[in-house]
Amino acid sequence: MAQTQAAIETTHHSNHSHYFVPQPSLYPFILSGGMFLLALGFILQMNKFSPGGWIMLAGTGVILTVVVRWFGRIIHESQSGSYREWEDKSFRYGMIWFILSEVAFFAAFFGALFYVRNISVPDLLTMLPRHDFTLYPEYKDLVWPASGGGPKGIAFTPMGAWGIPAINTALLLSSGATITWAHWALLKGNRAQLNLGLFLTIALGVTFLGFQGYEYYHAYTELGLTMGAGVYGATFFMLTGFHGFHVTLGTIMLIVVYGRCLKGHFTAERHFAFEGVAWYWHFVDVVWLGLFIMVYWL
Amino acid sequence: MSHATTAPHETKHDAQHDTHYPGGILRWLTTTNHKDIGSMYLTFALIMFFVGGAMILAVRVELFQPGLQLMQPEFFNQLIGIHALVMIFAALMPAATGFANWQIPLMIGAPDMALPRINNWGFWLLPPAAILLTLPFLLAVFGIGDGALATGWTMYAPLSVQGGIGVDFAIFAIHILGISSILGSINVIVTIFNLRAPGMTMMKLPIFCWGWLITAFLLIATIPVLAGAVTMLLTDRHFGTHFFNAAGGGDPILFQHLFWFFGHPEVYILLLPLWGLMPHVLATFSRKPMYGYKAQVYSFIAIGLLSVVVWAHHFFTAGLPVPALLYFMYSTMAISLPLAVLFFCWIATMWKGAMSFETPMLFAQGFIIMFGVAGLTGLVLADVAADAQYHHSYFVIAHFHYALFAGGIMGVMTGVYYWLPKWTGYMYDEKLGKLHFWLTAISFNLTFMPQFFLGLAGMPRRIPDYALQFTEFNAISTVGALILGFSQLIFAWNIWQCARGRQNGLTPAEGRAWEGAEGLEWELSSPPPHHSWEIQPDLRQPDLREPAARGA
Amino acid sequence: MKTTHRFVRHRPPRALPAILAALAALVLPATALADYSWNFPPPVTPIARDTLNIHNEFMLIITGIFVVVFAIMTYSMIKHRKSLGHQPAKFTGPTGRLQWIWALVPFAILLFIDFVVMGIPAFHAVIEMEDTKTKADMVLKVTGMQWKWQYEYPESGIKFISNMSTPRDQIANKEAKGENYLLEVDNEVVLPVDKKVRVLITATDVIHTWWVPQFGVKRDAVPGFLREIWVKIEKPGVYRGQCAELCGKDHGFMPVVVRAVPEPEYAAWVEKKKAEQEAATAGSDKTWSKDELLTKGKDVYEKQCAVCHQPDGKGMPPAFPALSGSKIVLGALLSPEGKLIKDSHVDRVLNGKDGTAMQSFKGTLNDVELAAVITYERNALGNSKGDLIQPAQIKALR
Ligand code: HEA
Ligand code: HEA
Ligand code: CUA
Ligand SMILES: [Cu+2]
């Protein structure tokens, strides 16, 4: 099998070639501590206990510091040549499985959308015929998305697909193209094109987020479309919200990679960081397509 | 990227090896060594096992006779749910991950786990999560909030939407535990795919690693769904969404679908590593190669696939449409087929062997018999009509303790006794081990066998007080639980003694601690060197033992 | 099932046989005892009978499998031991046709058992269980709420709440426990025998589960949704069950008690109930004296409110706020022009508070009870607001 081959090669380059096992590190422990503070603070905050906000702040601070330092260390190791094909392969596998877990996370929310659209809302609408008795005499013969407000839900105007969402689709799709273009450049060692491609990708990502923000503002102020607007509002904001959050992360990662490219990191053979982020970006891209079709369009 | 540049770095790195390592507590906080991390996982699991057990012993004492003696219902409800979460997420799962960390590199000829720092992070996420789970108990004492999660471990909406601060603590505990599991799974998958010794094809992979591989896939597929579910719960609680509220078009049953889409695979996540362990132990003490290696691997895969399509058997009474009821009934029953294959292979592995009955073997055989009870009762639970009686009765409680304690915990004990000599370098006290087994096996049945009858006679679960006709069986069950509980102190003591083997002058263990043991891990000294396989064994050379090949 | 009649529901089995059974249980699988006293209680509906038969059949099957499989294992454990100098074989899988057959037979057996022997009866039982509508004679609507059941007979307009009637002192071991400890209620549901009753189930706050073991049916009461089951009770008697879904603090204390009576007796009961309700609603037009309201209010409070807010009104903060000295209770009663004030005392009692255990009592209590309990809360439990509200005023607010 392929991966064994890698192992075999490394064992044969020299009978003393080791898999890189990093030195002991305190970062993981501190990071966990930071996450604990963040969670604790958030819980207290939501339940209106005063110190909550400050604890959250502290947690966030710790997390950010550690993440920066930790990735800094990784970049250093990478530059000082601790990673070779063998380690590189581990990172690739790791990234793939991480992205798959993200897919599963979004699946939960798409599942919820499917369920409310095809099961719970129809059930509520057809209660009378099915039980010749109903709890909601006033709630009947509506169709999705109008029915998405629920029997006691508040009135709202659903989000149309062909305005901003369509533009955003175009933006993300082209950003997928630009990053691939940049990758080609990296492979044939064309630095200028690489940097340009990355820059464009980031720009497109940021613009997307801008539009998304405006869309939310519009929804809340003019359409009366809020998280509280029945299951339509709930699924709409959770799906688009988490997607937006992932785009933000992706953009940040792109910016880091961009910085590294400007510094001349990465070679045509060895550029896991770049590729990992690219994969992530494509994943975010695909999720958006799902959103556009399931949430906005149909 | 040529070796010329790395070689100096490498040698430097090697030369300084053992000078680099901080001692004392720092060693444990910072370690990137799979053995240290494995030991931490196992220790943590043992401690939380006692914590979760202590909680439920209090519950059992409350249930000793009708009436409320010890505690108020609110507190009772908190204890059962936290007991469950602690036992499953903080005892059983970490124990399995501890096994993975210790054994997978040894078994596949790897120097360490593939992502050592991530590995360390995965562990250190656990204590915070455990604190989040139990902290609300303490806060309540100081008048902050009204105690821990009081909804049972299933956290069904809308009860959990209505619940207090404890629910929020549980939600975030689950998020953190989830992250930890995902990290652990990624590490296992990458290690198995990328760090196997040359010549060890997937079909020569030790079956324990196969069990863990499927477990890791399941975790990656289902844990995020649970995370999504509790996130929706959080927004329903604090941010005005209506996922689980009919008034807004949502549905409480949606939560049950999401929860059990995770929850059912979870039960196989808990046992697959142990089903992978059994053949090794049985083969060792039957002095006979394991039977049907391939058949077992395919069964694992089949179980993995089936496990994600049967979830609704946990809420047959919630009012699903008839076609759904029938589908989930038959698909659930189908899982008994691959499991029958496993049972068959286990028994066939012992068949015509030369058995001896050291503690690990006793636990393995106890596991098989009592998990048989769990599985077979599971089979009848899968029947929709009969389940209308069993559901939410003590019959279910009995079923899954046969699976989770006799299957899960006793499976873990099998592994601990089996590998303890390898880990510590000393043989544990065999007499104590046997005593522990017999006390556990007997008192376990004394505790849970009566609960089958309680369930049939109609005693609902999750009640702090019960009608008079349930008195006798509950009394018996409580007595059993107390014996069971305190017998576990022998276990803890035995491990502790073995870990301090030198001071106690115990007999040192050879590399191949058990006469019949086969596999790479036994080729190493006990305890193994700091970097397990600095140079990978090359299984393409015929002279070297090939672990699973015998079973292939 | 003749044998099941040995199961005496109200007298607990003597300790000795119980212990013997448990000891037996150590050597036998649970299932071996299934046909004796520790089985389902005697069935009284067609479904319950089916379920019991299916259950018994399945228990025998799995006991059979268990015994066979583990007999083989035990045989091997006895014969193939090192201590007997048994030489280990080396086979690692089926070799040759015969062995393959050996390996596949149990598999085939299990396949047959799963989908034929167990699958087919299960199929029929499910179909029967879910067929609620054909030839239904009457409808009973059941509403679960923390922590009591409300029963409604749409045809005859009867509607009442059924609370557990076991005194708290028995639960606290302050007095001897009665024979129906925790399984007794103030208002039993009365149903006619030999009639197919369609039961519509729902809930107001969280999920509850309506369960009477001897009926062989159990169905979740899901807030905001309707669920259906049916029962056809074949012999008169009192049948007791419990809420089976964890629904909060008093989940253990919301029993279901059904009294099945012959048709004529049932009709008489219906008339009686109707009359009672007439009387109750009539009361809402006359003006009540404060003392009348207070005395009535006291027993309404103890039935409906004391569980959470406690008999002394001190509550159990933060989950269940105190009423004594509560701002809401001591706030204004109604707006000057007699309208409802948002989040006022009256509003809370009538409409409840979303997302909490405080439910809307508008639907469950009548005008008199509401007026009485509100007046009581304002002038007792350490409060002395002095004012009172008349049933007529409540009626006006509906
Ligand atoms: C590790 C844990 C574990 C395992 C392995 C299982 C295994 C199974 N479980 Fe269980 N189950 C739980 C843990 C587990 N369960 C828990 C925790 C709950 C309750 C959750 C809650 O509500 O809190 C639960 C609840 C539960 C229910 C819901 C009950 C209810 O609430 O109404 C059902 C219903 O179908 C069920 C079914 C099954 C089935 C069919 C299996 C099958 O996998 C069993 C398959 C095994 C066999 C069938 C035995 C193998 C066969 C032989 C012995 C060989 C003989 C055969 C031949 C060779 C011929 N389980
Ligand atoms: C791996 C999982 C696991 C394990 C190992 C156990 C172990 C045990 N469980 Fe648990 N249990 C569950 C998972 C598990 N349980 C789940 C999922 C539920 C459902 C919860 C729900 O309904 O939501 C449940 C519910 C549950 C109930 C039902 C509660 C109810 O519905 O009202 C009961 C009742 O008897 C019970 C009993 C026990 C007992 C006696 C043990 C024994 O095996 C424990 C053994 C005892 C010890 C190990 C304690 C040792 C402690 C001492 C010796 C004291 C000294 C203390 C210290 C040193 C700290 N469990
Ligand atoms: Cu109502 Cu439990
Ligand atoms: Cu299951």
PDB file of all heavy atoms in Angstrom, chain C residues 253-268:
ATOM      1  N   PHE C 253     -43.286  10.970  40.704  1.00  0.00           N
ATOM      2  CA  PHE C 253     -44.525  11.122  41.473  1.00  0.00           C
ATOM      3  C   PHE C 253     -45.696  11.571  40.616  1.00  0.00           C
ATOM      4  O   PHE C 253     -46.490  12.400  41.019  1.00  0.00           O
ATOM      5  CB  PHE C 253     -44.290  12.103  42.625  1.00  0.00           C
ATOM      6  CG  PHE C 253     -43.109  11.731  43.471  1.00  0.00           C
ATOM      7  CD1 PHE C 253     -41.965  12.520  43.496  1.00  0.00           C
ATOM      8  CD2 PHE C 253     -43.119  10.566  44.219  1.00  0.00           C
ATOM      9  CE1 PHE C 253     -40.870  12.167  44.267  1.00  0.00           C
ATOM     10  CE2 PHE C 253     -42.026  10.200  44.997  1.00  0.00           C
ATOM     11  CZ  PHE C 253     -40.897  11.000  45.024  1.00  0.00           C
ATOM     12  N   MET C 254     -45.783  11.082  39.375  1.00  0.00           N
ATOM     13  CA  MET C 254     -47.000  11.375  38.592  1.00  0.00           C
ATOM     14  C   MET C 254     -47.611  10.096  38.040  1.00  0.00           C
ATOM     15  O   MET C 254     -47.494   9.772  36.868  1.00  0.00           O
ATOM     16  CB  MET C 254     -46.777  12.444  37.527  1.00  0.00           C
ATOM     17  CG  MET C 254     -45.672  12.242  36.539  1.00  0.00           C
ATOM     18  SD  MET C 254     -45.481  13.682  35.438  1.00  0.00           S
ATOM     19  CE  MET C 254     -46.957  13.601  34.443  1.00  0.00           C
ATOM     20  N   PRO C 255     -48.293   9.356  38.924  1.00  0.00           N
ATOM     21  CA  PRO C 255     -48.859   8.065  38.536  1.00  0.00           C
ATOM     22  C   PRO C 255     -50.053   8.199  37.585  1.00  0.00           C
ATOM     23  O   PRO C 255     -50.643   9.255  37.471  1.00  0.00           O
ATOM     24  CB  PRO C 255     -49.307   7.457  39.855  1.00  0.00           C
ATOM     25  CG  PRO C 255     -49.523   8.602  40.762  1.00  0.00           C
ATOM     26  CD  PRO C 255     -48.585   9.687  40.327  1.00  0.00           C
ATOM     27  N   VAL C 256     -50.340   7.088  36.919  1.00  0.00           N
ATOM     28  CA  VAL C 256     -51.527   6.967  36.073  1.00  0.00           C
ATOM     29  C   VAL C 256     -52.416   5.906  36.712  1.00  0.00           C
ATOM     30  O   VAL C 256     -51.948   4.801  36.966  1.00  0.00           O
ATOM     31  CB  VAL C 256     -51.144   6.498  34.660  1.00  0.00           C
ATOM     32  CG1 VAL C 256     -52.389   6.273  33.815  1.00  0.00           C
ATOM     33  CG2 VAL C 256     -50.191   7.478  34.004  1.00  0.00           C
ATOM     34  N   VAL C 257     -53.655   6.241  37.027  1.00  0.00           N
ATOM     35  CA  VAL C 257     -54.565   5.233  37.571  1.00  0.00           C
ATOM     36  C   VAL C 257     -55.841   5.213  36.741  1.00  0.00           C
ATOM     37  O   VAL C 257     -56.511   6.226  36.590  1.00  0.00           O
ATOM     38  CB  VAL C 257     -54.912   5.496  39.045  1.00  0.00           C
ATOM     39  CG1 VAL C 257     -55.851   4.413  39.553  1.00  0.00           C
ATOM     40  CG2 VAL C 257     -53.648   5.551  39.879  1.00  0.00           C
ATOM     41  N   VAL C 258     -56.126   4.038  36.156  1.00  0.00           N
ATOM     42  CA  VAL C 258     -57.295   3.882  35.312  1.00  0.00           C
ATOM     43  C   VAL C 258     -58.259   2.915  35.991  1.00  0.00           C
ATOM     44  O   VAL C 258     -57.867   1.821  36.400  1.00  0.00           O
ATOM     45  CB  VAL C 258     -56.915   3.335  33.929  1.00  0.00           C
ATOM     46  CG1 VAL C 258     -58.163   3.151  33.072  1.00  0.00           C
ATOM     47  CG2 VAL C 258     -55.908   4.247  33.252  1.00  0.00           C
ATOM     48  N   ARG C 259     -59.531   3.339  36.127  1.00  0.00           N
ATOM     49  CA  ARG C 259     -60.543   2.416  36.661  1.00  0.00           C
ATOM     50  C   ARG C 259     -61.444   1.997  35.509  1.00  0.00           C
ATOM     51  O   ARG C 259     -62.093   2.822  34.877  1.00  0.00           O
ATOM     52  CB  ARG C 259     -61.378   3.104  37.748  1.00  0.00           C
ATOM     53  CG  ARG C 259     -62.539   2.256  38.257  1.00  0.00           C
ATOM     54  CD  ARG C 259     -63.365   3.032  39.277  1.00  0.00           C
ATOM     55  NE  ARG C 259     -62.564   3.385  40.469  1.00  0.00           N
ATOM     56  CZ  ARG C 259     -62.294   2.519  41.443  1.00  0.00           C
ATOM     57  NH1 ARG C 259     -62.744   1.285  41.374  1.00  0.00           N
ATOM     58  NH2 ARG C 259     -61.565   2.910  42.471  1.00  0.00           N
ATOM     59  N   ALA C 260     -61.409   0.703  35.185  1.00  0.00           N
ATOM     60  CA  ALA C 260     -62.244   0.184  34.098  1.00  0.00           C
ATOM     61  C   ALA C 260     -63.537  -0.364  34.687  1.00  0.00           C
ATOM     62  O   ALA C 260     -63.492  -1.175  35.619  1.00  0.00           O
ATOM     63  CB  ALA C 260     -61.500  -0.906  33.345  1.00  0.00           C
ATOM     64  N   VAL C 261     -64.675   0.124  34.179  1.00  0.00           N
ATOM     65  CA  VAL C 261     -65.978  -0.284  34.728  1.00  0.00           C
ATOM     66  C   VAL C 261     -66.903  -0.692  33.587  1.00  0.00           C
ATOM     67  O   VAL C 261     -66.705  -0.275  32.452  1.00  0.00           O
ATOM     68  CB  VAL C 261     -66.624   0.867  35.517  1.00  0.00           C
ATOM     69  CG1 VAL C 261     -65.766   1.264  36.696  1.00  0.00           C
ATOM     70  CG2 VAL C 261     -66.894   2.052  34.607  1.00  0.00           C
ATOM     71  N   PRO C 262     -67.947  -1.487  33.876  1.00  0.00           N
ATOM     72  CA  PRO C 262     -68.926  -1.867  32.854  1.00  0.00           C
ATOM     73  C   PRO C 262     -69.629  -0.627  32.298  1.00  0.00           C
ATOM     74  O   PRO C 262     -69.775   0.378  32.999  1.00  0.00           O
ATOM     75  CB  PRO C 262     -69.917  -2.764  33.599  1.00  0.00           C
ATOM     76  CG  PRO C 262     -69.174  -3.236  34.811  1.00  0.00           C
ATOM     77  CD  PRO C 262     -68.226  -2.141  35.163  1.00  0.00           C
ATOM     78  N   GLU C 263     -70.116  -0.741  31.057  1.00  0.00           N
ATOM     79  CA  GLU C 263     -70.749   0.354  30.337  1.00  0.00           C
ATOM     80  C   GLU C 263     -71.691   1.198  31.204  1.00  0.00           C
ATOM     81  O   GLU C 263     -71.480   2.404  31.370  1.00  0.00           O
ATOM     82  CB  GLU C 263     -71.487  -0.212  29.123  1.00  0.00           C
ATOM     83  CG  GLU C 263     -72.191   0.818  28.267  1.00  0.00           C
ATOM     84  CD  GLU C 263     -71.215   1.781  27.579  1.00  0.00           C
ATOM     85  OE1 GLU C 263     -70.027   1.417  27.472  1.00  0.00           O
ATOM     86  OE2 GLU C 263     -71.627   2.888  27.195  1.00  0.00           O
ATOM     87  N   PRO C 264     -72.774   0.585  31.822  1.00  0.00           N
ATOM     88  CA  PRO C 264     -73.749   1.419  32.562  1.00  0.00           C
ATOM     89  C   PRO C 264     -73.088   2.227  33.668  1.00  0.00           C
ATOM     90  O   PRO C 264     -73.299   3.437  33.787  1.00  0.00           O
ATOM     91  CB  PRO C 264     -74.728   0.391  33.152  1.00  0.00           C
ATOM     92  CG  PRO C 264     -74.144  -0.940  32.912  1.00  0.00           C
ATOM     93  CD  PRO C 264     -73.094  -0.846  31.886  1.00  0.00           C
ATOM     94  N   GLU C 265     -72.215   1.581  34.416  1.00  0.00           N
ATOM     95  CA  GLU C 265     -71.524   2.277  35.498  1.00  0.00           C
ATOM     96  C   GLU C 265     -70.781   3.492  34.941  1.00  0.00           C
ATOM     97  O   GLU C 265     -70.817   4.585  35.503  1.00  0.00           O
ATOM     98  CB  GLU C 265     -70.537   1.313  36.160  1.00  0.00           C
ATOM     99  CG  GLU C 265     -70.431   1.442  37.670  1.00  0.00           C
ATOM    100  CD  GLU C 265     -69.468   0.407  38.223  1.00  0.00           C
ATOM    101  OE1 GLU C 265     -69.714  -0.804  37.998  1.00  0.00           O
ATOM    102  OE2 GLU C 265     -68.468   0.812  38.835  1.00  0.00           O
ATOM    103  N   TYR C 266     -70.163   3.277  33.765  1.00  0.00           N
ATOM    104  CA  TYR C 266     -69.420   4.360  33.130  1.00  0.00           C
ATOM    105  C   TYR C 266     -70.344   5.528  32.820  1.00  0.00           C
ATOM    106  O   TYR C 266     -70.081   6.680  33.195  1.00  0.00           O
ATOM    107  CB  TYR C 266     -68.749   3.861  31.847  1.00  0.00           C
ATOM    108  CG  TYR C 266     -68.120   4.954  31.027  1.00  0.00           C
ATOM    109  CD1 TYR C 266     -66.967   5.598  31.455  1.00  0.00           C
ATOM    110  CD2 TYR C 266     -68.699   5.376  29.829  1.00  0.00           C
ATOM    111  CE1 TYR C 266     -66.394   6.613  30.720  1.00  0.00           C
ATOM    112  CE2 TYR C 266     -68.134   6.401  29.080  1.00  0.00           C
ATOM    113  CZ  TYR C 266     -66.984   7.014  29.533  1.00  0.00           C
ATOM    114  OH  TYR C 266     -66.425   8.023  28.799  1.00  0.00           O
ATOM    115  N   ALA C 267     -71.498   5.204  32.220  1.00  0.00           N
ATOM    116  CA  ALA C 267     -72.470   6.253  31.865  1.00  0.00           C
ATOM    117  C   ALA C 267     -72.846   7.052  33.104  1.00  0.00           C
ATOM    118  O   ALA C 267     -72.826   8.285  33.113  1.00  0.00           O
ATOM    119  CB  ALA C 267     -73.703   5.615  31.242  1.00  0.00           C
ATOM    120  N   ALA C 268     -73.130   6.340  34.177  1.00  0.00           N
ATOM    121  CA  ALA C 268     -73.504   7.013  35.432  1.00  0.00           C
ATOM    122  C   ALA C 268     -72.388   7.964  35.860  1.00  0.00           C
ATOM    123  O   ALA C 268     -72.631   9.142  36.166  1.00  0.00           O
ATOM    124  CB  ALA C 268     -73.759   5.964  36.516  1.00  0.00           C
TER     125      ALA C 268
END
